[in-house]
Amino acid sequence: MEHNNMLKNDGLPLTPAAWMLGVRQLDALSFLDEELQSLKDQGLYRVPRTLSGQQRARCVFDGRSVVNLSSNNYLGLASHPKMVEAAVKATQELGVGSGAVRTIAGQMDLHKQLEKKLAEFKHVEACLVFQSGFTANAGTVSCILGREDVIISDELNHASIIDGCRLSRAQIKVYPHSDMDGLRQALEEAEGRRKLVVTDGVFSMDGDIAPLPEVVKLAKEYGAAVMVDDAHASGVLGRNGRGTVDHYDLHGQVDIQVGTLSKAVGVLGGYVAGPQKLIDYLVQRARPVLFSTTHPPAVTAACIAAIDILIEHPELIDKLWQNTEYFRSSLRNLGFDTGKSVTPIIPVIVGDERKAMQLADELFAEGVFAQGIAYPTVPKGKARVRTIVTAEHTTEDLDYALQAFAKVGRKLGLI
């Protein structure tokens, strides 16, 4: 049987490009040309840079050796020898894939080992590992709440939380960033059957920390559950990097903790930590759990090794914070606006979108990779270059970057 649209006269298949050229049809996606051109006209069109080699404090992007200030690899674990060894061993023994979703045939002994270790690390009853931090947030919020419920969300929460709120079809109330008067007002207005207050622990674009004790106190007052996304706090805040809850000593007072395994932990994935009944319910109903294959053995084993490293080597976190304080204070001394940052996420706030991208491009030309961030990731008029300091940076690395910031900042009239 001949498929005329996909075969040449000689019976050989056409390439996709040749097939498209040979078919006369209206381009239903022509509107994207205008959207892309608009981004280019605004100076916001970005082509992702390509890494050659390992993710390190100094590495090669687009063929250029740079000081890397754009990575979430806070502790340098992405290339840690013990984690590489664990990943290789697990692959040799167990293969490269888990083969199925958890509820069919994809749950392995390694997954249970990782979840037990994470639960002990976080001082909770149980943990559940997701394929990414994004699916952990979106999958959890959309699973446990519905149309009759109310979600009260900080206005600067991560996109995965926002998407989870929308997917849940619950009523959504957004309070001004870290504004406890605004949170109280939202709680007073909430009329849902169930209420959930959700906040980032560390906010990914500004580097500030949520006022979690006040959030917990207000939530208790109004009978609401509390969920904290510790993506940028896992491995960074708290004893041995246990996160925001440990940082504020609020164990047992936060109902749901979400974290990532792809930032300070250095690998891939996300997790949800909390009561056993929460985890049991997510296994039964969370769509990312039911419809997406579990982590391969290499990823899981490397994550297990990472938790061991966090427990055994707290000096890595000490070094991270030493570098953070040095770099942030030096940027401020140069005259840059670093906003409300109190963590290794240190924004250099520019305001103008085009100039922020120009700052990032000129820094790259000077051998410093620091990503420009603009709308819709941050509000219009709040464009910035976001820097992230790691434990792996040397003082020489940071001084090199500071010299580049000083040179380019003066050139652009930013300092």
Side-chain angles (χ1 to χ4, degrees):
M1 181 173 64
E2 182 178 2
H3 297 277
N4 293 326
N5 287 339
M6 294 301 292
L7 296 179
K8 296 179 181 179
N9 291 335
D10 58 8
L12 297 176
L14 289 167
T15 64
W19 179 75
M20 287 298 295
L21 288 173
V23 177
R24 293 185 178 182
Q25 62 176 359
L26 176 67
D27 183 0
L29 298 179
S30 60
F31 69 93
L32 293 179
D33 295 325
E34 296 178 6
E35 296 292 336
L36 289 169
Q37 189 58 51
S38 175
L39 290 173
K40 292 175 181 178
D41 292 343
Q42 298 173 70
L44 300 179
Y45 184 85
R46 311 298 287 174
V47 177
R49 299 195 183 278
T50 301
L51 172 66
S52 301
Q54 295 184 352
Q55 185 76 252
R56 306 297 296 262
R58 276 188 179 263
C59 52
V60 176
F61 277 94
D62 290 354
R64 185 180 188 87
S65 178
V66 294
V67 174
N68 183 7
L69 294 175
S70 287
S71 174
N72 295 320
N73 185 29
Y74 287 105
L75 302 177
L77 298 189
S79 54
H80 196 285
K82 289 185 178 179
M83 293 169 62
V84 173
E85 180 183 359
V88 170
K89 182 180 178 183
T91 301
Q92 290 173 336
E93 293 179 356
L94 301 171
V96 297
S98 62
V101 302
R102 177 184 292 263
T103 52
I104 294 178
Q107 179 169 285
M108 306 178 75
D109 287 336
L110 273 183
H111 296 133
K112 301 304 293 179
Q113 291 173 31
L114 173 58
E115 288 163 351
K116 183 176 185 295
K117 185 176 286 287
L118 279 169
E120 293 171 351
F121 182 70
K122 297 288 288 185
H123 298 318
V124 296
E125 288 183 352
C127 274
L128 179 65
V129 171
F130 282 71
Q131 296 80 5
S132 69
F134 197 107
T135 58
N137 268 329
T140 298
V141 175
S142 62
C143 174
I144 64 175
L145 297 173
R147 291 181 184 274
E148 298 179 3
D149 305 321
V150 180
I151 301 170
I152 303 162
S153 177
D154 188 289
E155 68 174 331
L156 295 188
N157 278 343
H158 191 265
S160 57
I161 295 174
I162 295 170
D163 284 3
C165 292
R166 291 169 176 167
L167 288 168
S168 74
R169 301 184 180 179
Q171 181 185 2
I172 302 168
K173 289 184 174 293
V174 178
Y175 63 93
H177 176 51
S178 291
D179 182 338
M180 294 301 96
D181 289 335
L183 175 56
R184 178 180 289 277
Q185 181 178 344
L187 283 163
E188 288 177 349
E189 295 172 353
E191 298 177 353
R193 178 165 52 92
R194 290 171 291 198
K195 295 183 286 291
L196 174 70
V197 178
V198 57
T199 180
D200 280 8
V202 172
F203 290 88
S204 61
M205 290 298 125
D206 290 280
D208 56 327
I209 306 173
L212 196 57
E214 291 85 355
V215 171
V216 168
K217 182 179 178 181
L218 281 172
K220 282 184 178 180
E221 183 179 339
Y222 288 90
V226 177
M227 174 174 163
V228 176
D229 174 15
D230 256 352
H232 287 277
S234 299
V236 176
L237 287 180
R239 293 167 297 168
N240 302 91
R242 285 179 169 85
T244 314
V245 172
D246 191 87
H247 173 73
Y248 285 118
D249 195 20
L250 291 171
H251 292 288
Q253 300 183 60
V254 174
D255 303 279
I256 305 170
Q257 297 181 58
V258 176
T260 56
L261 301 166
S262 54
K263 295 180 172 61
V265 173
V267 197
L268 177 70
Y271 64 87
V272 176
Q276 184 67 57
K277 60 187 174 185
L278 169 68
I279 303 308
D280 291 344
Y281 187 74
L282 291 174
V283 170
Q284 302 302 314
R285 286 290 182 264
R287 294 176 74 82
V289 175
L290 297 173
F291 298 105
S292 192
T293 298
T294 52
H295 280 157
V299 168
T300 312
C303 289
I304 292 172
I307 303 304
D308 290 335
I309 293 168
L310 289 177
I311 294 170
E312 296 166 6
H313 296 284
E315 70 275 8
L316 286 173
I317 300 174
D318 294 339
K319 176 63 173 176
L320 169 66
W321 282 96
Q322 290 171 13
N323 284 346
T324 295
E325 296 302 330
Y326 176 73
F327 193 68
R328 180 171 46 242
S329 62
S330 297
L331 283 172
R332 287 176 175 171
N333 289 338
L334 286 171
F336 287 104
D337 178 5
T338 60
K340 299 178 180 179
S341 170
V342 292
T343 69
I345 298 171
I346 307 172
V348 174
I349 299 174
V350 176
D352 179 76
E353 281 79 5
R354 190 182 295 274
K355 184 163 285 190
M357 298 306 169
Q358 187 179 2
L359 173 60
D361 289 342
E362 299 228 7
L363 284 170
F364 191 78
E366 295 291 331
V368 176
F369 181 27
Q371 194 67 266
I373 307 289
Y375 180 82
T377 306
V378 296
K380 289 184 178 180
K382 297 289 186 179
R384 67 208 49 198
V385 165
R386 184 181 73 161
T387 71
I388 295 182
V389 176
T390 74
E392 197 177 28
H393 284 107
T394 65
T395 302
E396 290 74 20
D397 293 333
L398 299 179
D399 285 340
Y400 183 93
L402 289 165
Q403 291 171 13
F405 265 100
K407 178 180 178 180
V408 177
R410 294 187 186 101
K411 178 180 178 181
L412 298 180
L414 298 174
I415 57 173

